[in-house]
Amino acid sequence: MTSNYEAKINALREDALNIRRNVWRALRGAGSGHMGGSCSAADLLAALYFDHLRLRPQEPNWPGRDRFVLSKGHANAALGAALARAGFIDDSVLDQFYAYQSPFGMHPDIKMPGVEMSTGGLGHGLSVAIGMALGARMQGKDFRTVVMLGDGELQEGSNWEGAMAAAQFKLSNLTAILDYNKIQQSGPVAEMQDLEPLAEKFTAFGWAVREIDGHDMAAIVEALDALPHAADKPSMIIAHTVKGKGVSFAEDSFLWHNNLVTDEVYEKAMAELGDGA
Ligand SMILES: Cc1ncc(C[n+]2csc(CCOP(=O)(O)OP(=O)(O)O)c2C)c(N)n1
């Protein structure tokens, strides 16, 4: 017999698969986009949107909502897919990806219900999320703030200023999740500007650090359930992921950071992801 917990994990895996399918669907509509970093983040987004974050899709601006900032904004196709499945936007919006005057652009736009911050220029999300977390504390509110970062993005110096500030302010209501897929736009992170030893760096900066397999749904849920990971520190979840996860020809390759999606490419991707709900 399947326990409630196993059923929840299985349902979240199905949510993640749905996000991946809809990423490819959205990109096919636009003809191109960022499949690599969208699909590496899918399991993390599923756990956030369908288990962890306290949200009211019918009341997107509910003051008590948790805040989520997709700092690696180029993965917006995955965010939009999650927002549609959660009920913030209509499913039909997914066919308007990157279309003229659509709220569902290549990068998140606060015009779209459920989007907390317009992002896309890398390196800003952490600092704004710090402001949100500080704002919660100053107003005596208990909402939590989560920001997702990319590993290439983490090369931006502004993140390290933010890392110092978050620790200085002892922001235990702030969590950063690193989608650590090891590949940036034009090659491996380790060859361009290595981040290692990364857990040690964030620990030294004053964060509570956990490392997980970012495709292991049970591990993701466990890490999120255990937040905050320290009473007086911000939490950093380093999630080891695979760029392009779920479609073999797109996995682990910078060539599929951002690429064209022809009908033929789409059909090949869907043949691997299946065409379920
Ligand atoms: C400030 C800034 N510089 C450059 C870009 C162009 N750009 C978009 S995605 C990307 C690579 C980001 O790599 P990473 O954070 O590892 O993303 P992921 O692998 O998760 O997709 C770059 C350089 C940008 N969006 N913003």
Side-chain angles (χ1 to χ4, degrees), residues 25-107:
R25 166 188 165 194
L27 267 53
R28 180 183 60 164
S32 70
H34 300 82
M35 59 285 290
S38 296
C39 289
S40 59
D43 299 284
L44 299 162
L45 288 169
L48 286 167
Y49 274 89
F50 306 110
D51 191 47
H52 181 71
L53 296 173
R54 294 184 296 227
L55 302 166
R56 291 183 186 169
Q58 302 310 317
E59 198 188 340
N61 296 325
W62 169 49
R65 72 195 184 279
D66 289 337
R67 275 42 168 192
F68 174 72
V69 173
L70 183 66
S71 190
K72 42 166 279 181
H74 56 279
N76 191 37
L79 177 62
L83 292 175
R85 192 163 174 86
F88 283 93
I89 55 169
D90 193 78
D91 180 80
S92 62
V93 177
L94 300 182
D95 294 317
Q96 298 298 312
F97 184 59
Y98 209 33
Y100 181 58
Q101 289 192 334
S102 167
F104 188 26
M106 191 64 78
H107 301 94

Side-chain angles (χ1 to χ4, degrees), residues 88-156:
F88 283 93
I89 55 169
D90 193 78
D91 180 80
S92 62
V93 177
L94 300 182
D95 294 317
Q96 298 298 312
F97 184 59
Y98 209 33
Y100 181 58
Q101 289 192 334
S102 167
F104 188 26
M106 191 64 78
H107 301 94
D109 185 325
I110 51 168
K111 283 202 292 291
M112 189 144 103
V115 172
E116 293 291 348
M117 176 185 172
S118 297
T119 51
L122 297 166
H124 302 293
L126 176 59
S127 297
V128 174
I130 287 168
M132 292 175 179
L134 262 179
R137 177 189 291 167
M138 292 167 81
Q139 295 170 48
K141 300 272 169 59
D142 67 355
F143 69 78
R144 305 159 303 173
T145 301
V146 178
V147 54
M148 184 180 288
L149 306 167
D151 46 18
E153 177 182 27
L154 208 47
Q155 295 162 346
E156 300 259 6

Side-chain angles (χ1 to χ4, degrees), residues 17-38:
L17 191 54
N18 176 273
I19 290 174
R20 291 195 171 92
R21 289 188 192 113
N22 278 321
V23 164
W24 285 91
R25 166 188 165 194
L27 267 53
R28 180 183 60 164
S32 70
H34 300 82
M35 59 285 290
S38 296

